[in-house]
Amino acid sequence: MDPTRRGFLVITGPVTRADVPHLCAQLLALLDDTGGRGARVVDCDVGALTAPDLAAVDVLARLQLTARRAGCRIRLRHPSGRLRALLALVGLGVEVLGEAEEREPPLGVQEGVEPDDLPP
């Protein structure tokens, strides 16, 4: 199983709970490990979810659960501010592509040293 293999899923909106089975089936097809060629990470483009609601959050939660059960993960691409706020409100921690991981400074940012700082 190649841990660097990536898949790509586009989620267009609006989405409803009725879309869950179809989207989870698409995700599972990308994660299919036949011959070791399945994706280990699936990037979900959610840029088309311009007016996300709790149904969209439910869809993303179920996709994340499906990926985790398969030993994989999803990452969001192009989430709107409203979608990010909804995800934070319900406590759904979904990785966003292009963001620094928690506790790591973004690329290009360096810590400053004050003259009175003691050496480590």
Side-chain angles (χ1 to χ4, degrees):
M1 184 181 323
D2 183 355
T4 63
R5 295 287 299 175
R6 301 198 190 292
F8 193 76
L9 179 65
V10 177
I11 301 174
T12 57
V15 293
T16 66
R17 288 180 177 90
D19 295 316
V20 169
H22 173 69
L23 289 170
C24 285
Q26 282 185 301
L27 178 66
L28 287 173
L30 290 169
L31 299 176
D32 182 18
D33 196 32
T34 306
R37 289 179 259 165
R40 300 292 94 203
V41 177
V42 175
D43 295 337
C44 297
D45 188 335
V46 293
L49 297 177
T50 56
D53 55 11
L54 289 177
V57 170
D58 184 46
V59 167
L60 294 174
R62 291 176 185 270
L63 286 172
Q64 183 177 33
L65 179 61
T66 300
R68 283 188 178 171
R69 285 181 175 164
C72 304
R73 62 192 172 107
I74 64 169
R75 298 185 305 181
L76 301 184
R77 294 179 66 135
H78 313 298
S80 67
R82 182 173 175 178
L83 180 57
R84 287 177 189 231
L86 280 171
L87 293 172
L89 179 68
V90 300
L92 183 61
V94 180
E95 185 179 349
V96 176
L97 188 64
E99 283 190 348
E101 292 199 23
E102 197 172 329
R103 286 179 253 133
E104 291 183 11
L107 295 176
V109 174
Q110 298 190 13
E111 290 186 32
V113 178
E114 297 294 325
D116 58 341
D117 281 349
L118 297 173

